[in-house]
């Protein structure tokens, strides 16, 4: 527990003090955000605000993890956390390329859809390969070939190829879900902290009830849950420090660098803790925002009509007349409700197994 709190603290300090330094450097480099012309007019005033802020909290997370294990010590560096860090950094690099192209070409579009998808797929495939092919002494791999909700579903075996494809889908879907939500100051940052906090609690709970230490049908066949919780805490702390500067009015945007990175990490945590389908509830806000885009596209292509004034959903409410801070706070509340519901289901499943 101390390592979890220490990781969050170190990452928070690194992020909250490192972010203004990054803002200054990005200003000097003229790495400002480009705004799409068809977006809400109130966004035009944000043109030129530094972007690529994800660099700060990705580095702060890595720094905190290294400090806790190398300087503080207490437990070993695990393959699970290293693989998750690789996914976090790898997806962030895809976002970095996208952000850099936007800045270099002074347009709101970076990588084309195919290029971005290929980049994400390559990173996700690398994660899937490592997650499925590095068993420990007990035979547990970093992630499972079985479908999972609050734990592995015994009858839902995907095979290694099927699991790898499913992992790639989950990672890409989660990364783009966070990216779509990142449309207003602080909108994606707050819910990401909440979801990561949920995975801190899940990791700690699994660590206290891991098979081998605890017998019975209620134990968890997972690998390195404590280290997953440490990494989730580091990322949550780094995002909290970043949010100080990203809250309305934002002085720095996370950009695709941050959105794809944090979405990838959240997906990785869901896969490694064997709670993949539970992510649909924990990350319910991201699901809603993503579905608003899907619904808008299907409706417009099939009928020529739009369901929302603009998608993603937050822009619809902007055009309806809601203030930006109102949208952000209300979306945060919705996210908090989803995370609480997801954790309640997770604990209820454990308690149910005690009565079997």
């Amino acid at each position: 527990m101390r390592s979890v709190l220490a990781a969050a603290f170190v990452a928070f300090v690194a992020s909250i003090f490192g972010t203004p330094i990054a803002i200054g450097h990005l200003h000097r480099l003229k790495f400002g955000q480009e705004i799409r012309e068809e977006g809400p007019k109130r966004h035009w005033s944000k043109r030129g605000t530094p972007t690529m802020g994800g660099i700060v909290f990705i580095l702060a997370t890595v720094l905190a993890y290294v400090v806790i294990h190398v300087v503080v010590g207490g437990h070993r560096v695990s393959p699970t956390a290293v693989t998750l860090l690789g996914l976090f950094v790898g997806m962030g690099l895809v976002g970095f390329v996208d952000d850099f192209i936007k800045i270099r070409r002074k347009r709101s579009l970076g990588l084309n859809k195919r290029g971005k998808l290929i980049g994400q797929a390559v990173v996700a495939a690398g994660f899937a390969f490592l997650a499925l092919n590095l068993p420990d002494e007990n035979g547990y791999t970093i992630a499972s070939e079985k479908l999972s909700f609050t734990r592995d579903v015994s009858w839902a075996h995907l095979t290694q190829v099927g699991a790898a494809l499913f992992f790639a889908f989950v990672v890409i879907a989660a990364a783009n879900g966070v990216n779509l939500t990142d449309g207003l100051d602080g909108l994606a940052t707050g819910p990401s902290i909440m979801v990561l906090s949920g995975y801190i609690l899940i990791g700690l709970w699994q660590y206290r009830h891991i098979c081998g230490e605890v017998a019975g049908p209620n134990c968890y066949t997972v690998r390195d849950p404590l280290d997953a919780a440490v990494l989730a805490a580091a990322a949550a702390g780094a995002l909290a420090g970043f949010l100080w500067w990203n809250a309305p009015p934002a002085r720095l945007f996370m950009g695709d660098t941050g959105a794809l990175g944090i979405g990838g990490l959240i997906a990785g945590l869901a896969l490694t803790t064997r709670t993949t389908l539970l992510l649909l509830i924990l990350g319910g806000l991201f699901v809603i925002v993503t579905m608003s885009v899907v619904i808008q596209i299907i409706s417009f292509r099939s009928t020529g009509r739009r369901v929302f004034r603009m998608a993603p959903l937050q822009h619809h409410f902007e055009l309806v007349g809601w203030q930006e801070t109102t949208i952000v706070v209300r979306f945060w509340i919705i996210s908090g409700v989803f995370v609480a519901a997801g954790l309640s289901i997770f604990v209820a499943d454990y308690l149910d197994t005690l009565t079997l």
Side-chain angles (χ1 to χ4, degrees), residues 47 60 110 122-123 134 145 151 169 184 204 215 229 243 254 272 287:
R47 188 188 303 272
V122 169
V123 174
L134 292 177
E145 293 180 12
R151 59 181 74 230
F169 172 77
L184 301 177
L204 289 173
L243 182 59
M254 68 167 65
T272 56
V287 175

Side-chain angles (χ1 to χ4, degrees), residues 95-269:
F96 177 86
V97 173
D98 188 52
D99 286 333
F100 186 78
I101 291 174
K102 292 176 185 176
I103 294 166
R104 189 69 177 269
R105 298 182 179 178
K106 298 187 182 301
R107 65 184 192 187
S108 61
L109 296 176
L111 283 170
N112 58 41
K113 293 179 181 179
R114 179 178 296 179
K116 186 182 290 189
L117 182 61
I118 290 173
Q120 294 175 43
V122 169
V123 174
F127 167 78
F129 176 80
L130 294 174
L132 293 168
N133 291 281
L134 292 177
D136 64 7
E137 61 276 8
N138 298 314
Y140 294 162
T141 51
I142 294 170
S144 173
E145 293 180 12
K146 296 177 181 177
L147 198 63
S148 61
F149 184 47
T150 56
R151 59 181 74 230
D152 281 343
V153 180
S154 59
W155 52 266
H157 193 275
L158 301 174
T159 75
Q160 188 167 97
V161 174
L165 293 173
F166 180 65
F167 286 10
F169 172 77
V170 172
V171 169
I172 292 171
N176 285 284
V178 175
N179 198 21
L180 289 171
T181 306
D182 182 37
L184 301 177
D185 298 355
L187 181 59
T189 311
S192 295
I193 294 171
M194 296 179 198
V195 176
L196 287 167
S197 298
Y199 277 110
I200 296 171
L201 296 176
I202 287 173
L204 289 173
W205 185 276
Q206 290 179 333
Y207 175 67
R208 294 294 299 272
H209 303 92
I210 192 170
C211 293
E213 300 293 333
V214 176
N218 56 324
C219 69
Y220 294 94
T221 54
V222 293
R223 182 171 171 183
D224 308 315
L226 178 58
D227 218 24
V230 169
L231 180 55
L239 278 172
F242 175 76
L243 182 59
W244 183 272
W245 306 97
N246 183 236
R251 291 186 57 189
L252 178 65
F253 299 141
M254 68 167 65
D256 282 19
T257 305
L260 295 183
I262 203 67
L265 176 60
I266 288 172
L269 286 166

Side-chain angles (χ1 to χ4, degrees), residues 46 181 183-191 194 243 246-248 285 314 322-335:
K46 300 180 181 184
T181 306
L184 301 177
D185 298 355
L187 181 59
T189 311
M194 296 179 198
L243 182 59
N246 183 236
L285 177 66
Q314 61 269 23
W322 289 17
Q323 293 298 311
E324 181 171 351
T325 51
T326 301
I327 299 169
V328 170
V329 172
R330 287 177 177 173
F331 275 40
W332 283 6
I333 293 171
I334 293 170
S335 180

